[in-house]
Amino acid sequence: MMAYIVRRVLYAIPILIGVNVLTFLLFFVVNSPDDMARMHLGMKRVTPEAIQTWKQERGYDRPLLYNDAAEGVGRLTDTIFFQKSLKLFQFDFGSSDSGRDIGYDISQRMWPSLAIAIPVLLVGLLVNITYALLIAFFRATYIDFWSVVLLVAMMSISGLFYIIGGQYLVSKLLHLVPISGYDTGWAAAKFLVLPVVIGVVGGVGAGTRWYRTLFLEEIDKDYVRTARAKGLSEPRVLFRHVLRNALIPILTGVVVVLPLLFMGSLITESFFGIPGLGSYTIDAINSQDFAIVRAMVFLGSVLYILGLLLTDISYTLVDPRVRLS
Amino acid sequence: MHKADSPRSLPTPFRFFLLLLTGLLLTGCSEGPWNNPYRASESGRSIVYSSFSERPKHLDPARAYSSNEYGFIAQIYEPPLQYHFLKRPYQLVPLAATGLPRVTYLDESGRPLPDDAPVEQIAFSDYEIRLRPGMRYQPHPALARDGEGRYRYHRLDRAVIDRLNTLQDLPATGTREVVADDFVYQIKRIAFPPLNSPIAGVMQEYIVGFGDFAERTGAAYQALKRKQGGKPWLDLRDYELSGVKVLDRYRLRIRLKGKYPQFRYWLAMPFFAPMPWEAERFYHQPGMERRNISLDWYPIGSGPFMLGENNPNLRMVLEANPNYHGEAYPEDGDPGDAEAGLLRDAGKRMPFIEKAVYSLEKESIPYWNKFLQGYYDTSGISSDSFDQAVQFSDQGDLALTDAMQAKGISLQTAVTASVYYMGFNMLDPVVGGESERARLLRRAISIAMDFEEYIAIFNNGRGVAAQGPIPPGIFGNEEGREGINPYVYDLVDGRPRRKPLEEARRLLAEAGYPGGRDRTTGKPLILYYDTTSAGPDGKARLNWIRKQFAKLGIQLVIRASDYNRFQEKMRKGTGQIFMWGWNADYPDPENFLFLLYGPNGKVEHGGENAANYSNPEFDRLFVAMKNMEDGPRRLEIIRRMVRILRRDAPWVWGFFPKSFALYHAWYRNVKPNLMANNTLKYRRVDPRLRDDLRRQWNPPIVWPILLGLLLLVVSAIPAVRVYLRREGSSAR
């Protein structure tokens, strides 16, 4: 398995270079270093000299990808792309274009993102799996029918509606928790309840339907019939046998998103005023801060690759037949 | 007992939920409303609650220039002057200075001239500023000294710096008196090229020796950087700025080239606030910036407040500065201010609040709801909530809705010192230029663009249609016949009425485009409108603009792009018609008329004249007007300038936006002041009333949740019965 992991890590390098090149090209097709300087220097009274100084200070006065004026390897290395990308591979994110240390900001902002994402994932899994098993238990009854209708309806509603509706109902009408905001330590709990509940409720439709399908696929298999024939109770059949055997596709879906929990949720964080990494990325895009955008895209790619690797490893844990080679 | 059953070994997620539940229950048991987003310890305290939607980019007074940045630093830094809180038109009064600067005009050989000397004779203006003695900086580690008088934190080990997370990790603080050297040091910082001060360009035109200083220090910095690497500290005290001199501990003199009366307005901006050299020395230690500890993040001022908590991802807190020298609330104001209760605190020492908490609030809906719940003291009115807050009476008067009045909310409105206009690119062969044909075309469009309707539809009536470039409240804006643009409006019953569309059609025909077709070629007239608002919100606006042109038979093609491309078009002069705006830096007509001054043309000179308008007569009058003191002569010149502009119509004059602000009954001493940014010190809150009303407005309502749970349980009964029946049935 070790050889497999090493091979996957090595595969990741060209993928990350590709992602970096793409991010770079896409960003600089839309924004030139002059545009970035103007955005950072403000809208009023920006002189060409100030733009030049800004670019010089941050190394944006070099050519983008190829430096005609340099010689030898310098033609490739003395460019914005090379200078700004190389350190990413050492996980040195450097400074944002406004001068702040990106690594420090990420280390600070990942906790609020995780504070929402982890409970949403865990509670969501618990609710979705339980509900899906319940529907599977009552398959082909009115409970199954109306549950599917409800789930399809819930799937069809925009996530934004859940957020605004939830804030309106729970915070504005019932006055149970603050509408938005955040705090440090345990004081954050009262701010997290609503986004977590909304995150769970918003995911019930799609999640439960997906798990229901998985369970129904398993429920008619021979081993289930055998289990029933042995006289096991239906809950025992469902929880001990069906759930275990349906775990592989569930794991595929869950493990792959685990590392991405760090990246936060763009809309939820924005509406609830949660200072996580989702809003960090959006702010960076709005303020044309290439350094942060590049760092976040790179981090996202690394985490996604990590997620895929973890998924492969997790297969071997839940299904002894799977061997990585 | 099986180990897994032990409560001690509950899986982590369950433990987390138990703790969460406990936290919630504890929250529920606290005294105040459950939805209170603030800490219980803040209850009953004199705190102002507000918000910010975007992290301020700069808190360094040499670099900050936008209103969201001024919202903070204007409370912290004290420039020599400030605007009177109550008097209108806006008046400058001393802040860090003991009086207004004493201005002496000098001729080429440095001999003093009388105050009324002709502008042509004035080679230099000396601004002598006498400072208030006894002002002290806020407690700050940069000023902390050890027992032997040495600065305690100016030579920190790299290891110590690497452990710092915030400035508060350095426990010792110190202070010292603000002296004239600090003001001079800050002016040098404005000139220092690596700091990229946005006003360096303007100041270079006026302050003697500014450019030379910038050149010398810029070169010295680059040399030092090559030697040391990173961002080294260059001690600006070692370099002389010839036009700025310290006369004694409390006096300084700034020498300007020629006459520039608007300079006094710049002296009311944080750009000219004092900066101790020690702060720069402290923040420039290697590794500090990497720990995000910089002057751009942790200000050091002498004003009424200091930044106690700076977490712009969450909250920024201004706390009362214990070293503040104190300032008395104004004892006089405008007529009506006393009746409005604005002079109740006259003569009392400010500030009246102990701190101000600004929470991050990115979306308008949560902000508005929290304002209604009493968790923010003031609010603007977004388009979404306008109908909920404000209504128009049958007579067209504006009033708060009953719901707002029932809550004791008040409304303040004011026309801002800003202008939104539709510009014509004067370099364009169709709409631009000085030809009579193009002029008539622009005038026809000016009549067709019904900005009264625009304001009503898209701004909820929050604006005043412009008759020229100068907003109300600024010298040069006039009422009556002189205040009407006769090319677009008629004066009917003392009020301006937009000319009928027939007049626009007549002008268009006269311009050679009868019915919107070119008379010579017969082809339809197609014009191009460049914009950045291509989203769903902008679509209605763009359709409306297209319709205005269609009234004349002109086809308008919308060219939407992002702001970068839009700016590029403006810089290159490839746009044709566009809409833009300007917020005044200071309340002087020069700050609006310069937007149409030829040498400020965007294409040729990179200035703010986006229409690239150039009229020699206008330019000549501008030069004469800009250096004059307000008075009849200046007014007459402004009238002539405005007449030229109205005739040439380089802009469709657009509108002056009106600001609407709501505030709660516990929030006192509120009077719109669109020039002053340091108004927090005047505010007073009644925390007891606020707490009472918050409790009254936010009682927790639990029964719907309980009812929901009950329904869930009831609806589960048939399922349970089915389950029991199935489990009890024999195998089939």
Side-chain angles (χ1 to χ4, degrees), chain A residues 236-312:
Chain A
R236 202 170 166 80
V237 169
L238 284 174
F239 281 95
R240 289 275 317 233
H241 296 279
V242 174
L243 179 58
R244 270 192 176 184
N245 283 285
L247 264 183
I248 288 188
I250 293 178
L251 269 180
T252 319
V254 172
V255 178
V256 80
V257 299
L258 276 182
L260 293 174
L261 298 180
F262 285 92
M263 303 300 286
S265 160
L266 306 181
I267 299 177
T268 306
E269 288 181 10
S270 190
F271 266 81
F272 286 99
I274 310 264
L277 287 178
S279 50
Y280 187 51
T281 313
I282 285 286
D283 290 348
I285 293 169
N286 289 337
S287 62
Q288 296 178 10
D289 197 321
F290 174 63
I292 298 177
V293 173
R294 179 199 60 208
M296 293 307 292
V297 171
F298 183 82
L299 186 65
S301 313
V302 169
L303 292 172
Y304 190 69
I305 291 169
L306 181 70
L308 291 175
L309 187 60
L310 286 176
T311 311
D312 287 352

Side-chain angles (χ1 to χ4, degrees), chain A residues 30-31 35 38-39 44-45 100-101 104 109 123 137 171 174-175 180 183 190 270 275 283 288, chain B residues 17 36 39 57 65 292 297 313 361-363 370 373 564-565 583 585 608 699 701 723 726:
Chain A
V30 182
N31 311 292
D35 295 334
R38 276 195 190 85
M39 177 63 100
K44 288 164 89 173
R45 303 182 190 277
R100 288 185 56 80
D101 183 44
Y104 177 78
R109 298 185 70 140
V123 180
F137 180 78
S171 301
L174 305 182
H175 311 135
S180 63
D183 210 334
K190 66 177 174 184
S270 190
D283 290 348
Q288 296 178 10
Chain B
F17 289 121
N36 185 353
R39 292 164 188 170
K57 274 187 204 149
Y65 200 13
N292 295 328
W297 205 251
N313 306 326
E361 205 71 74
K362 288 185 174 231
E363 303 292 335
K370 278 161 93 171
Q373 290 177 336
N564 290 336
R565 298 289 77 75
N583 286 322
D585 295 307
E608 301 291 350
I701 303 168
Y723 169 72
R726 269 199 200 176

Side-chain angles (χ1 to χ4, degrees), chain B residues 345-639:
Chain B
D345 285 319
K348 290 183 188 161
R349 186 188 158 97
M350 300 186 291
F352 303 122
I353 57 164
E354 55 181 291
K355 69 177 179 179
V357 176
Y358 298 83
S359 307
L360 178 71
E361 205 71 74
K362 288 185 174 231
E363 303 292 335
S364 61
I365 298 173
Y367 181 90
W368 173 246
N369 286 328
K370 278 161 93 171
F371 169 71
L372 293 181
Q373 290 177 336
Y375 297 122
Y376 287 124
D377 299 325
T378 61
S379 173
I381 311 178
S382 69
S383 303
D384 295 334
S385 46
F386 190 83
D387 293 338
Q388 202 183 337
V390 176
Q391 62 193 3
F392 288 94
S393 69
D394 295 340
Q395 289 76 38
D397 297 331
L398 202 69
L400 285 169
T401 56
D402 294 343
M404 295 294 121
Q405 287 180 31
K407 281 180 175 278
I409 291 171
S410 306
L411 171 71
Q412 291 269 12
T413 66
V415 180
T416 60
S418 317
V419 59
Y420 281 91
Y421 59 89
M422 176 177 268
F424 298 104
N425 179 7
M426 297 299 279
L427 303 176
D428 183 81
V430 181
V431 298
E434 290 177 39
S435 69
E436 190 59 15
R437 180 183 174 145
R439 194 176 287 137
L440 290 170
L441 172 61
R442 293 194 296 268
R443 277 195 219 148
I445 294 171
S446 300
I447 294 172
M449 278 294 297
D450 187 348
F451 266 102
E452 287 81 4
E453 191 178 278
Y454 182 95
I455 295 164
I457 296 174
F458 300 108
N459 277 40
N460 302 103
R462 287 177 287 182
V464 177
Q467 304 288 334
I470 305 172
I474 305 288
F475 183 80
N477 177 283
E478 294 191 84
E479 299 284 323
R481 185 166 292 279
E482 201 57 54
I484 303 292
N485 179 0
Y487 297 98
V488 179
Y489 291 89
D490 293 318
L491 191 66
V492 179
D493 301 331
R495 297 169 75 104
R497 180 189 289 171
R498 188 170 285 274
K499 286 182 188 289
L501 213 52
E502 287 69 38
E503 175 66 7
R505 291 195 183 111
R506 190 188 65 74
L507 290 172
L508 194 66
E510 212 177 306
Y513 304 103
R517 284 185 174 269
D518 191 318
R519 183 175 287 137
T520 46
T521 63
K523 288 183 179 169
L525 176 61
I526 301 174
L527 297 180
Y528 298 90
Y529 178 75
D530 287 287
T531 179
T532 56
S533 60
D537 288 346
K539 202 161 183 292
R541 204 178 297 253
L542 295 175
N543 283 340
W544 181 87
I545 293 173
R546 202 185 274 134
K547 227 164 83 183
Q548 306 307 301
F549 282 74
K551 288 194 289 197
L552 300 178
I554 300 172
Q555 293 180 29
L556 188 71
V557 177
I558 307 287
R559 295 193 296 204
S561 58
D562 61 59
Y563 194 63
N564 290 336
R565 298 289 77 75
F566 174 77
Q567 278 192 311
E568 194 181 326
K569 283 181 192 173
M570 293 295 109
R571 281 197 305 276
K572 291 183 176 167
T574 52
Q576 192 176 56
I577 302 172
F578 58 91
M579 210 150 155
W580 221 339
W582 177 257
N583 286 322
D585 295 307
Y586 43 79
D588 191 276
E590 179 263 355
N591 202 236
F592 288 92
L593 293 169
F594 94 115
L595 297 171
L596 291 153
Y597 177 50
N600 271 339
K602 199 167 255 312
V603 172
E604 207 177 332
H605 307 283
E608 301 291 350
N609 176 359
N612 301 297
Y613 175 67
S614 179
N615 179 308
E617 175 63 3
F618 177 86
D619 292 349
R620 190 186 65 75
L621 291 170
F622 178 81
V623 172
M625 176 280 302
K626 73 170 187 171
N627 293 329
M628 290 172 83
E629 303 289 344
D630 288 349
R633 271 188 62 213
R634 194 177 198 215
L635 184 61
E636 186 45 41
I637 292 178
I638 291 171
R639 274 184 187 158

Side-chain angles (χ1 to χ4, degrees), chain B residues 670-689:
Chain B
V670 184
K671 179 171 180 177
N673 188 324
L674 302 165
M675 282 296 142
N677 294 294
N678 60 343
T679 51
L680 187 62
K681 62 187 174 188
Y682 303 102
R683 305 290 185 233
R684 183 185 278 284
V685 290
D686 180 348
R688 190 171 295 175
L689 177 63

Side-chain angles (χ1 to χ4, degrees), chain A residues 123-184:
Chain A
V123 180
L125 266 181
L126 190 75
V127 170
N128 294 351
I129 289 175
T130 312
Y131 193 18
L133 283 170
L134 186 82
I135 299 171
F137 180 78
F138 291 108
R139 62 195 170 278
T141 65
Y142 76 98
I143 294 176
D144 185 15
F145 176 79
W146 285 111
S147 289
V148 172
V149 170
L150 177 72
L151 294 173
V152 170
M154 289 178 83
M155 276 172 70
S156 315
I157 296 170
S158 148
L160 200 59
F161 177 85
Y162 286 111
I163 293 174
I164 297 173
Q167 284 183 328
Y168 182 80
L169 179 72
V170 180
S171 301
K172 195 182 175 194
L173 291 185
L174 305 182
H175 311 135
L176 296 179
V177 290
I179 289 177
S180 63
Y182 194 73
D183 210 334
T184 47

